[in-house]
């Protein structure tokens, strides 16, 4: 059985949904009924978040204006896809029933002038609910037997709103109980990415881009043969094609390299997607909805020994530099520094140390003020916001001579704020100013891949 996840652009219009329909039909014929996990139509999650923020600022008119646009977008799509009046009426009624709930929530947020992470999840879940309703109706219209399942009935999570994690045991039992009988009946299961619910039924989300993660969770829970991530590019590439148009598609990528790439900014895959797939050794395939015939990228247990995979970048990071003369020849300093990050549940992405200084980068800035306050008691701290991490991902860096030389030569005209490498044999990361990140990626790509292909 295959789990197929379609991202925002893949479901972003009536035309795209029709392409998805053809892809799903072909899979059903060839491999049996799949589980189809859908994102919100492109732009809709952003619109929902903007509406929530407008409501929080007590600008209810702006929030309701966005709601109208969401209504129009989905209604247009329904009118383009369906002609039969009874079907259109029923779908529009369902759409409006969801949007009425959203209207009530937005009014509540605006009345209170308060937006908790829990309320934001209650608002941002609607995009996936709407896109999946429309797609399930499209399957029905085409005579493809299917069942629409609300992901909140099986994807049970903790209550970390905005970045929830699955409770695996419950989710596996519920997903198997709800979904497997439908598949056995040859019915395609249509569900939503990104959303789940706590054990007591409160809506949660898995974080931005989290539909990929939902697909992996379902793949593992229902023991899929393959998890397919259908998107708007031909696969995982040697760089973001929006930054490097000549980037090449990678045919195979190891689980390890794909995790590093996703973690360090290759948006094509949510960073948490790979972990469950690795545990059950389920291949993840990245495919292009616009060109279903292209082979895509397979991410699986390392089979190849590709020396260089790709370059990724992640902007809007903060770098923190600590300096303490007390650290000279002393022990325990790093433990104290790390305990502060631990206390504020803030992961450190990169780290570099010398005898008297430590530099780290963090992506999650929610608790930065409290972190800085605690650290000031231990040492001098300097912060640099708006920096980017640029990472080269490959294999066996330690066993190759010349990589560092090529990398540094490529970055010779760029100011490097921090360097971190060697912790893993497959990554070399730099911190540069946000505005230098794209240039760094382009120059690195030019230097490393021109050389790689010339070999
Ligand atoms: P979806 O809506 O389908 O989830 P995303 O926008 O989240 O799609 O991810 C696809 C985008 O990821 C691509 O359009 C591309 O610009 C970007 N991207 C960043 N790095 C890479 C990479 N290494 N390979 C492919 N795409 C990448
Ligand atoms: N719709 C959600 C987002 O835009 C989840 C996803 O598309 O993966 O973040
Ligand atoms: Mg995505």
């Amino acid at each position: 059985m295959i789990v197929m996840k379609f991202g925002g652009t893949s479901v972003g219009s009536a035309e795209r949904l029709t392409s998805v329909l053809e892809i799903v039909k072909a899979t059903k014929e060839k491999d049996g009924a799949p589980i189809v996990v859908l994102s919100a139509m492109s732009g809709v999650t952003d619109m929902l978040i903007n509406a929530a923020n407008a409501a929080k600022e007590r600008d209810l008119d702006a929030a309701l204006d966005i709601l109208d646009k969401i209504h129009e977008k989905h209604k247009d799509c329904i009118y383009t896809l369906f002609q039969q009046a009874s079907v259109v009426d029923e779908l529009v009624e369902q759409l409006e029933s969801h949007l009425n709930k959203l209207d009530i929530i937005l009014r509540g947020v605006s009345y209170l002038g308060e937006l908790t992470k829990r309320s934001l999840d209650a608002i941002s879940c609607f995009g996936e609910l709407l896109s999946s309703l429309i797609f399930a109706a499209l399957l029905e219209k085409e005579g493809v037997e299917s069942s629409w399942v609300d992901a909140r009935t099986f994807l049970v999570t903790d209550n970390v709103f905005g970045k929830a994690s699955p409770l695996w045991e419950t989710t596996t039992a519920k997903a198997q109980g709800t979904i497997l009988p439908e598949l056995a009946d040859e019915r395609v299961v249509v569900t939503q990415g990104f959303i789940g619910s706590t054990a007591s039924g409160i809506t949660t989300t898995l974080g931005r881009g989290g539909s990929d993660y939902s697909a992996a969770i379902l793949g593992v829970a229902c023991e899929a043969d393959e998890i397919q991530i259908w998107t708007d590019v031909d696969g995982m590439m040697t760089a973001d094609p929006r930054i490097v148009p000549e980037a090449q598609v990678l045919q195979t990528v190891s689980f390890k390299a794909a995790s590093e790439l996703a973690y360090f900014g290759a948006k094509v895959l949510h960073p948490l997607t790979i972990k469950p797939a690795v545990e059950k050794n389920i291949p993840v395939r990245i495919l292009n909805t616009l060109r279903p015939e292209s082979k895509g990228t397979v991410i699986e247990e390392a089979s190849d020994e590709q020396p260089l995979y790709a370059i990724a970048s992640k902007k809007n990071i903060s770098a923190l530099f600590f300096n303490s003369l007390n650290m000279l020849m002393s022990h325990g300093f790093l433990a104290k520094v790390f305990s502060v990050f631990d206390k504020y549940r803030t992961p450190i992405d990169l780290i570099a140390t010398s005898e008297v200084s430590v530099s780290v980068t963090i992506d999650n800035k929610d608790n930065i003020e409290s972190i800085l306050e605690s650290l000031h008691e231990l040492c001098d701290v300097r912060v640099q916001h708006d920096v980017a991490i640029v990472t080269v991902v490959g294999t066996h860096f330690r066993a190759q001579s010349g990589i560092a030389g090529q990398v540094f030569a490529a970055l010779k005209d760029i100011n490097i704020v921090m360097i971190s490498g060697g912790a893993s044999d497959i990554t070399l990361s730099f911190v540069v100013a946000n505005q230098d990140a794209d240039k760094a990626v382009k120059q690195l790509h030019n230097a490393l891949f021109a050389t790689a292909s010339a070999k």
Side-chain angles (χ1 to χ4, degrees):
M1 177 271 295
I2 296 179
V3 176
M4 311 175 80
K5 174 261 170 178
F6 294 89
T9 35
S10 303
V11 299
S13 65
E15 194 191 347
R16 292 283 159 81
L17 281 166
T18 311
S19 312
V20 173
L21 168 75
E22 293 309 322
I23 296 169
V24 169
K25 274 195 335 202
T27 299
K28 186 176 184 226
E29 253 165 52
K30 190 165 159 279
D31 300 301
I35 303 177
V36 177
V37 177
L38 299 180
S39 284
M41 293 176 84
S42 53
V44 170
T45 307
D46 284 339
M47 289 163 97
L48 289 164
I49 292 171
N50 291 342
N53 284 322
K56 176 189 164 195
E57 298 305 324
R58 303 199 147 163
D59 190 350
L60 186 61
D61 286 345
L64 297 182
D65 232 34
I66 299 173
L67 191 66
D68 280 347
K69 294 202 173 86
I70 296 173
H71 186 202
E72 281 309 302
K73 190 175 171 88
H74 290 89
K75 214 165 99 182
D76 283 353
C77 181
I78 292 171
Y79 277 99
T80 314
L81 288 173
F82 304 93
Q83 286 73 42
Q84 201 180 322
S86 59
V87 176
V88 172
D89 289 349
E90 196 191 320
L91 270 175
V92 172
E93 199 182 307
Q94 284 177 321
L95 166 69
E96 288 174 356
S97 147
H98 278 300
L99 293 183
N100 282 341
K101 284 183 211 148
L102 183 54
D103 180 285
I104 293 168
I105 302 172
L106 288 172
R107 283 174 197 277
V109 169
S110 147
Y111 186 75
L112 295 171
E114 184 191 55
L115 178 69
T116 59
K117 288 194 168 166
R118 174 172 160 168
S119 319
L120 185 60
D121 279 356
I123 293 169
S124 52
C125 71
F126 281 95
E128 271 70 11
L129 290 171
L130 298 177
S131 62
S132 60
L133 266 174
I134 297 176
F135 186 68
L138 186 61
L139 285 176
E140 196 173 313
K141 174 187 154 199
E142 292 291 314
V144 182
E145 304 231 323
S146 65
S147 302
W148 180 89
V149 182
D150 187 329
R152 295 170 297 182
T153 60
F154 61 80
L155 210 162
V156 182
T157 71
D158 59 17
N159 61 0
V160 181
F161 295 99
K163 208 175 182 4
S165 303
L167 302 181
W168 280 101
E169 231 170 272
T170 325
T171 298
T172 304
K174 290 200 176 221
Q176 289 192 356
T178 318
I179 293 173
L180 295 185
E182 302 290 333
L183 298 178
D185 245 10
E186 276 302 300
R187 298 177 73 80
V188 174
V189 169
V190 179
T191 190
Q192 310 77 39
F194 184 52
I195 71 174
S197 95
T198 63
S200 53
I202 314 292
T203 299
T204 53
T205 68
L206 307 180
R208 294 306 307 267
S211 294
D212 301 340
Y213 190 27
S214 301
I217 295 168
L218 268 175
V220 168
C222 295
E223 297 177 9
D225 299 310
E226 183 169 295
I227 297 160
Q228 297 181 347
I229 306 291
W230 289 83
T231 183
D232 59 356
V233 285
D234 278 348
M236 199 165 232
M237 305 174 82
T238 49
D240 184 343
R242 286 183 214 184
I243 302 174
V244 182
E246 62 278 15
Q248 300 287 313
V249 177
L250 297 158
Q251 282 184 0
T252 52
V253 178
S254 68
F255 279 134
K256 212 168 142 196
S259 295
E260 298 280 9
L261 279 170
Y263 186 73
F264 286 113
K267 192 184 166 225
V268 67
L269 201 64
H270 186 275
L272 293 175
T273 313
I274 296 296
K275 192 167 173 263
V278 175
E279 278 160 16
K280 295 280 173 177
N281 199 11
I282 303 174
V284 176
R285 196 180 291 269
I286 302 185
L287 292 152
N288 189 348
T289 311
L290 306 167
R291 293 186 351 112
E293 68 287 356
S294 68
K295 276 197 176 148
T297 300
V298 187
I299 302 165
E300 57 191 0
E301 200 58 59
S303 53
D304 57 348
E305 290 297 309
Q306 202 158 337
L308 273 179
Y309 281 105
I311 298 151
S313 61
K314 192 155 102 169
K315 289 185 183 159
N316 302 323
I317 303 291
S318 294
L320 280 62
F321 306 90
F322 320 122
N323 225 300
S324 169
L325 281 177
N326 296 337
M327 194 175 153
L328 201 63
M329 308 295 283
S330 73
H331 59 87
F333 176 73
L334 281 180
K336 284 183 199 147
V337 167
F338 290 148
S339 70
V340 172
F341 288 90
D342 185 40
K343 179 174 168 198
Y344 293 103
R345 300 174 138 267
T346 301
I348 290 172
D349 289 335
L350 295 182
I351 175 159
T353 76
S354 78
E355 180 58 42
V356 291
S357 338
V358 187
S359 318
V360 303
T361 63
I362 58 170
D363 188 4
N364 176 347
K365 281 155 265 177
D366 288 355
N367 294 316
I368 193 160
E369 292 309 324
S370 315
I371 290 173
L372 290 176
E373 205 173 299
S374 304
L375 289 170
H376 274 307
E377 292 166 14
L378 296 173
C379 53
D380 293 334
V381 189
R382 188 169 64 80
V383 190
Q384 190 172 346
H385 292 298
D386 305 326
V387 293
I389 300 177
V390 175
T391 304
V392 180
V393 178
T395 37
H396 305 313
F397 279 173
R398 284 181 211 136
Q400 291 177 67
S401 50
I403 289 269
Q406 281 175 288
V407 163
F408 286 110
L411 298 176
K412 63 178 183 296
D413 58 344
I414 290 173
N415 197 7
I416 298 175
V417 176
M418 181 178 155
I419 300 170
S420 170
S424 97
D425 194 19
I426 68 164
T427 62
L428 198 52
S429 296
F430 308 90
V431 177
V432 299
N434 262 349
Q435 67 268 23
D436 289 335
D438 289 359
K439 183 177 166 195
V441 172
K442 279 185 200 148
Q443 292 183 184
L444 278 169
H445 194 274
N446 212 355
L448 297 175
F449 290 95
T451 324
S453 55
K455 273 183 188 162

